[in-house]
Amino acid sequence: FQYLKRFDQGYNLDTFCYEAHSVEGNPAECLQQFLLHCGIPDPSWSELRNFTWFLNVQLRDCEASVFCNPDFVQDTLQGF
């Protein structure tokens, strides 16, 4: 949710890193973000769950990758 919210607000996501147990927004705002970004017009709860699970895994792997660390790559992969 935090990544999607910042993406919609135009923030640079290259420097953002999720902090465990940090809470932002409310459940309704979170659900709205997922519905806007999941890519399915009328998703079921199962489809929303799969979308959030997949997104979470991808973002966690991205944060752990040295190739996505702005301190390591500096400006060589801007926007990647």
Side-chain angles (χ1 to χ4, degrees):
F1 164 73
Q2 293 177 12
Y3 272 95
L4 295 175
K5 180 179 175 182
R6 283 169 174 75
F7 175 77
D8 282 348
Q9 294 172 342
Y11 283 84
N12 179 2
L13 298 178
D14 292 342
T15 57
F16 176 71
C17 189
Y18 170 74
E19 293 180 32
H21 307 293
S22 63
V23 177
E24 293 182 14
N26 59 51
E29 187 181 9
C30 182
L31 180 59
Q32 182 181 17
Q33 285 292 326
F34 292 152
L35 289 170
L36 286 172
H37 291 281
C38 77
I40 300 171
D42 187 20
S44 66
W45 285 111
S46 177
E47 290 166 328
L48 282 176
R49 187 239 176 245
N50 289 339
F51 168 72
T52 56
W53 175 82
F54 178 76
L55 183 62
N56 187 53
V57 168
Q58 295 300 308
L59 292 171
R60 187 176 36 210
D61 289 348
C62 180
E63 286 183 352
S65 172
V66 69
F67 298 107
C68 295
N69 182 334
D71 296 327
F72 177 73
V73 297
Q74 295 171 358
D75 65 352
T76 59
L77 297 173
Q78 184 67 27
F80 178 68

